[in-house]
């Protein structure tokens, strides 16, 4: 354990005691923050896992239907349908505060008609695939938002854990040890002074 | 999965022998024997891996080693078969009936590209009756005079509709309708009853497919009225009813198809089941041409069935390789026989 390089006097003890109180309070607050961050982190992990499963399931279904549509209608026709789709997706990002952290909040808007083609040379698989894709896009954006939040919260939880550990295992024990040493040193000085006084008294007496 | 079990409507007319098509019919009859059988299709569907899929295909015309090569082979086959039936055709109306859909398709793509603000790569079919360069010139320069009768009018109507609605789908809707009208006009002028009956059946089945899809898309009655085709045997008013009422009120040779696929539509929310049944029904109608000794109908039926074969092979191979469940693939494969 490292001692803090300070002069061994009462002023330093008082200063160190104040510092120790501050560290302990900080440690308590950081511990609470760490607990809250972990709670949020687990909730976000759960949300992300569920949403990812759902999104993957829907995307698999959509891709299968799209593949079937592509092979039944032919590559040329599908390419032309897709090239001329008049659909626009707008994604807007806003910032939100979460435990003093800046996390993104995304909103998505799909404009236009996804069924922007005729009926005669297309089929219901193409309709269903495009409908599923348009339904899954908002969920996909939501998943991005949650996973980004997850990264920010995880990063912060890691930083907080390091701070808590630094306070708990390094700074607080160091201050306590230094205070203990200073007190011991002061007591030693006091004892030496008392012995010296006693000796002087004996010589004078 | 539902399979077609009822009897199929046969053409009302008796076929008139046309000896001019003796060579063409004989030629097509030989090629018909080379078409993939239902048994091969089932083997393909049951194939365990990519290797066995291509091994099954090795025996026939589709002996290739990769999906890309198969795609290319299918493209070549389609162009080849269209060019063959065009060569075998002895009359302009028949050539038009055989290739008209590719011409209309090219018109649709070029018109859409003309009005679409972004640059897109064009994917045209160079196998129609009209030269692609001529169509391109006519559409981009607005010079319609060089186009055959019917096409110029159709393009003008599509342009007017697009300018009114500003929706690219309006071009598709108008040109699809014009395709059906032109097919009807040409087949009426041609005088072969088979083609008129085919169109009537095609329009009816397409209208029912559209009816289901419009319901799924949540579009209104006005929209449905706009996209339904003329020349079918069903009264358009029948389509403005709820699905169950429409299905129970249908009394035609193919009403059982609608009723059989209704449960599937209700549970899965897709009309893929009906689409396959309708295609099978149409193919069985086309199969009636096997009773023809000589005639242009054989060419038309062969082209349609060959197109379906190419479509089915592509669907099975790409579906199997990409892990699509077999039932889902089977549901999309109309078996002509």
């Amino acid at each position: 354990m490292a001692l803090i390089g300070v002069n061994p006097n009462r002023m330093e003890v008082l200063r160190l005691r104040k510092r120790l109180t501050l560290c302990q309070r900080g440690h308590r607050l950081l511990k609470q923050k760490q607990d809250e961050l972990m709670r949020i982190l687990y909730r976000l992990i759960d949300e992300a896992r569920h949403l990812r499963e759902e999104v993957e399931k829907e995307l698999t279904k959509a891709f299968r239907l799209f593949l079937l549509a592509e092979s039944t209608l032919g590559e040329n026709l599908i390419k032309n349908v897709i090239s001329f789709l008049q659909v626009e997706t707008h994604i807007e990002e806003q910032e939100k505060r979460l435990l003093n952290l800046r996390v993104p909040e995304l909103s998505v808007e799909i404009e236009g008609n996804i069924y922007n083609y005729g009926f005669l040379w297309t089929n219901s698989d193409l309709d269903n695939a495009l409908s599923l894709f348009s339904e899954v896009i908002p969920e996909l954006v939501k998943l991005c938002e949650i996973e980004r939040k997850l990264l920010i919260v995880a990063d912060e939880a890691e930083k907080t854990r390091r701070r808590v550990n630094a306070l708990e295992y390094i700074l607080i024990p160091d201050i306590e040890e230094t205070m203990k040493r200073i007190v011991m040193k002061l007591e030693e000085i006091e004892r030496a002074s008392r012995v010296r006084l006693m000796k002087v008294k004996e010589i004078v007496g | 999965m539902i399979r077609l079990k009822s009897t199929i409507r046969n053409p009302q007319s008796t076929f008139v022998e046309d000896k001019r098509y003796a060579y063409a019919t004989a030629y097509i009859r030989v090629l018909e024997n080379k078409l993939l059988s239902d048994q091969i299709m089932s083997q393909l569907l049951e194939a365990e891996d990519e290797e066995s899929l291509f091994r099954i295909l090795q025996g026939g015309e589709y002996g290739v080693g990769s999906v890309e090569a198969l795609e290319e082979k299918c493209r070549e086959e389609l162009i080849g078969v269209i060019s063959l039936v065009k060569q075998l055709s002895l009359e302009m109306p028949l050539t038009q009936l055989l290739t008209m859909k590719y011409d209309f398709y090219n018109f649709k793509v070029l018109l859409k590209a003309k009005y679409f603000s972004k640059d897109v790569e064009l994917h045209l079919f160079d196998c129609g009756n009209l030269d692609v360069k001529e169509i391109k010139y006519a559409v981009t320069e607005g010079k319609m005079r060089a186009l055959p009768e019917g096409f110029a009018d159709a393009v003008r109507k599509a342009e007017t509709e697009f300018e009114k609605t500003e929706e690219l789908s309006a071009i598709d809707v108008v040109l699809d309708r014009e395709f059906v009208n032109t097919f009807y006009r040409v087949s009426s002028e041609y005088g072969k009853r088979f083609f008129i009956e085919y169109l009537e059946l095609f329009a009816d089945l397409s209208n029912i497919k559209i009816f289901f899809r419009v319901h799924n898309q949540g579009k209104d009655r006005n929209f449905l009225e706009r996209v339904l085709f003329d020349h079918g045997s069903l009264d358009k008013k029948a389509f403005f009813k709820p699905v169950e009422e429409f299905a129970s009120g249908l009394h035609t040779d193919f009403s059982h198809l609608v009723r059989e696929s209704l449960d599937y539509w209700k549970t899965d929310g897709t009309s893929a089941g009906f689409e396959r049944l309708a295609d099978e029904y149409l193919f069985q109608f086309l199969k009636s041409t096997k009773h023809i000794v000589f005639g242009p109908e054989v060419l038309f039926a062969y082209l349609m069935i060959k197109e379906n074969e190419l479509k089915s092979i592509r669907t099975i191979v790409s579906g199997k390789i990409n892990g699509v469940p077999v039932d889902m693939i089977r549901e999309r494969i109309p078996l002509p026989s």
Side-chain angles (χ1 to χ4, degrees):
Chain A
M1 205 157 290
L3 289 179
I4 302 167
V6 288
N7 291 327
N9 55 43
R10 286 193 192 282
M11 277 304 284
E12 282 301 333
V13 175
L14 288 172
R15 210 172 284 148
L16 284 173
R17 188 165 292 143
K18 271 187 193 168
R19 218 174 140 189
L20 180 66
T21 319
L22 187 70
C23 284
Q24 282 168 337
R25 205 181 331 145
H27 175 256
R28 201 171 51 242
L29 284 171
L30 280 174
K31 190 90 181 149
Q32 284 172 355
K33 183 183 174 184
Q34 190 191 11
D35 292 345
E36 184 58 14
L37 281 171
M38 292 312 285
R39 197 183 62 77
I40 294 171
L41 192 68
Y42 283 121
R43 183 174 56 81
L44 288 174
I45 289 172
D46 260 9
E47 269 181 47
R49 189 184 296 139
H50 282 127
L51 199 58
R52 182 166 274 277
E53 274 171 18
E54 264 176 50
V55 166
E56 280 178 1
K57 213 163 90 180
E58 280 182 47
L59 274 180
T60 309
K61 202 174 162 193
F63 274 114
R64 275 179 183 168
L65 286 172
F66 191 76
L67 184 94
L68 288 170
E70 190 184 2
S71 34
T72 46
L73 302 175
E75 205 185 336
N76 272 11
L77 207 141
I78 283 285
K79 277 182 183 164
N80 282 323
V81 166
I82 300 303
S83 306
F84 295 117
L85 276 185
Q86 286 177 302
V87 179
E88 282 187 13
T89 307
H90 303 280
I91 299 175
E92 216 171 281
E93 186 185 357
Q94 283 183 326
E95 262 187 5
K96 207 181 130 187
R97 305 288 274 194
L98 178 74
L99 280 183
N100 213 26
L101 295 170
R102 284 179 180 180
V103 290
E105 200 165 59
L106 305 173
S107 58
V108 61
E109 206 180 326
I110 300 173
E111 272 177 18
N113 178 15
I114 53 165
Y115 308 113
N116 192 29
Y117 45 84
F119 286 88
L120 199 58
W121 309 117
T122 56
N123 61 19
S124 61
D125 284 339
L126 182 66
D127 293 355
N128 293 336
L130 293 181
S131 158
L132 274 173
F133 279 129
S134 74
E135 278 169 27
V136 88
I137 284 174
E139 287 180 36
L140 205 58
V141 173
K142 184 80 191 157
L143 182 65
C144 289
E145 181 192 304
I146 292 174
E147 289 192 344
R148 182 78 194 122
K149 272 185 195 169
L150 194 64
L151 284 175
I152 294 171
V153 171
D155 191 42
E156 187 63 17
E158 175 62 19
K159 276 187 201 161
T160 312
R161 190 182 63 81
R162 280 198 200 146
R163 282 180 192 144
V164 168
N165 285 348
L167 283 171
E168 195 174 333
Y169 298 108
I170 300 170
L171 200 55
I172 293 175
D174 282 359
I175 294 173
E176 282 173 345
E177 183 63 21
T178 311
M179 279 170 67
K180 203 172 134 191
R181 289 288 176 93
I182 295 174
V183 169
M184 276 167 65
K185 186 81 179 170
L186 288 174
E187 280 172 359
E188 182 62 30
I189 293 168
E190 202 182 322
R191 271 195 300 276
S193 157
R194 187 170 291 163
V195 169
R196 199 165 45 244
L197 274 175
M198 282 166 73
K199 208 70 180 162
V200 169
K201 202 176 174 184
E202 200 182 283
I203 295 166
V204 173
Chain B
M1 197 185 61
I2 328 149
R3 276 282 163 207
L4 208 54
K5 58 186 180 203
S6 314
T7 51
I8 300 303
R9 179 167 80 167
N10 280 318
Q12 300 295 308
S13 55
T14 46
F15 292 111
V16 180
E17 206 173 281
D18 190 340
K19 282 184 182 154
R20 291 175 304 155
Y21 283 92
Y23 171 73
T25 309
Y27 199 108
I28 295 295
R29 292 289 181 233
V30 173
L31 292 179
E32 274 174 356
N33 290 330
K34 289 183 183 170
L35 287 170
L36 293 185
S37 63
D38 289 358
Q39 199 191 346
I40 301 274
M41 290 290 183
S42 301
Q43 278 177 16
L44 285 172
L45 277 166
E46 300 305 326
E48 279 174 13
D49 49 29
E50 200 177 326
E51 204 184 319
S52 28
L53 260 177
F54 287 114
R55 205 172 38 240
I56 297 166
L57 287 173
Q58 281 300 328
E61 290 170 58
Y62 306 97
V64 287
S66 68
V67 186
E68 293 75 27
L70 182 71
E71 189 68 43
E72 190 51 42
K73 180 82 190 161
C74 287
R75 205 172 294 131
E76 281 169 18
E77 278 285 317
L78 180 67
I79 294 171
V81 78
I82 293 170
S83 121
L84 172 76
V85 289
K86 269 159 75 176
Q87 277 172 25
L88 293 175
S89 163
L90 303 172
E91 297 141 296
M92 186 44 94
L94 178 63
T95 314
Q96 280 185 315
L97 293 174
L98 290 167
T99 56
M100 191 188 292
K101 73 171 181 184
Y102 298 105
D103 293 329
F104 271 97
Y105 171 85
N106 290 340
F107 274 115
K108 278 200 279 190
V109 175
L110 287 163
L111 258 185
K112 282 193 200 176
K114 184 180 165 185
Y115 289 113
F116 201 60
S117 48
K118 295 169 201 164
D119 278 340
V120 286
E121 197 192 335
L122 298 176
H123 304 277
L124 301 168
F125 279 107
D126 198 6
C127 48
N129 195 32
L130 303 177
D131 184 37
V132 172
K133 279 181 196 157
E134 274 176 34
I135 301 180
K136 225 179 221 175
Y137 176 74
V139 171
T140 49
E141 302 296 320
K143 307 240 163 105
M144 307 290 176
R145 277 185 197 167
L147 296 177
E149 193 193 344
F151 284 106
D153 261 2
V155 172
R156 266 186 225 108
K157 279 181 194 166
E159 283 181 323
T160 315
E161 188 69 15
F162 173 76
E163 277 153 21
K164 214 161 66 183
T165 59
E166 290 191 346
E167 276 186 25
L168 286 176
S169 60
I171 293 173
D172 280 353
V173 169
V174 173
L175 288 181
D176 286 348
R177 196 169 48 222
E178 287 304 311
F179 161 75
V180 174
N181 293 342
T182 313
F183 195 101
Y184 181 77
R185 184 178 52 78
V186 174
S187 48
S188 304
E189 284 166 9
Y190 190 34
K192 301 273 181 190
R193 187 82 200 126
F194 170 82
F195 294 101
I196 300 169
E197 282 176 21
Y198 168 81
L199 182 79
E200 190 182 276
L201 190 56
F202 177 78
D204 279 338
L205 295 172
S206 299
N207 280 344
I208 300 174
K209 286 180 194 172
I210 291 170
F211 170 72
F212 277 117
R213 287 172 66 188
V214 166
H215 269 270
N216 282 349
Q217 291 180 8
K219 300 271 174 70
D220 59 14
R221 182 192 157 141
N222 288 340
F223 179 81
L224 178 64
E225 203 167 357
R226 203 155 61 88
V227 294
L228 287 175
F229 298 116
D230 296 326
H231 311 297
S233 65
L234 297 172
D235 185 0
K236 279 191 183 177
K237 280 179 193 157
F239 292 97
F240 305 135
K241 292 174 186 169
V243 176
E244 284 85 355
E245 208 179 311
F246 167 77
S248 58
L250 208 59
H251 299 290
T252 60
D253 294 345
F254 47 84
S255 36
H256 62 281
L257 304 181
V258 180
R259 284 192 275 275
E260 279 170 27
S261 52
L262 201 59
D263 286 340
Y264 185 76
W265 180 75
K266 277 183 195 164
T267 49
D268 281 29
T270 167
S271 53
F274 175 76
E275 285 171 7
R276 198 204 71 248
L277 286 180
D279 286 347
E280 280 182 3
Y281 191 83
L282 205 57
F283 289 129
Q284 296 203 24
F285 174 82
L286 291 170
K287 280 259 164 173
S288 62
T289 54
K290 68 181 173 197
H291 304 297
I292 302 174
V293 184
F294 313 118
E297 296 89 350
V298 180
L299 268 72
F300 184 80
Y302 176 72
L303 178 62
M304 296 294 128
I305 291 168
K306 184 72 184 177
E307 278 179 2
N308 179 58
E309 180 183 279
L310 296 170
K311 192 172 88 176
S312 300
I313 289 173
R314 273 203 315 260
T315 308
I316 295 174
V317 173
S318 64
K320 293 284 285 185
I321 286 171
N322 289 289
V324 179
V326 176
D327 281 348
M328 218 170 156
I329 304 173
R330 193 172 276 137
E331 196 58 72
R332 270 88 186 162
I333 307 293
L335 298 175
S337 48

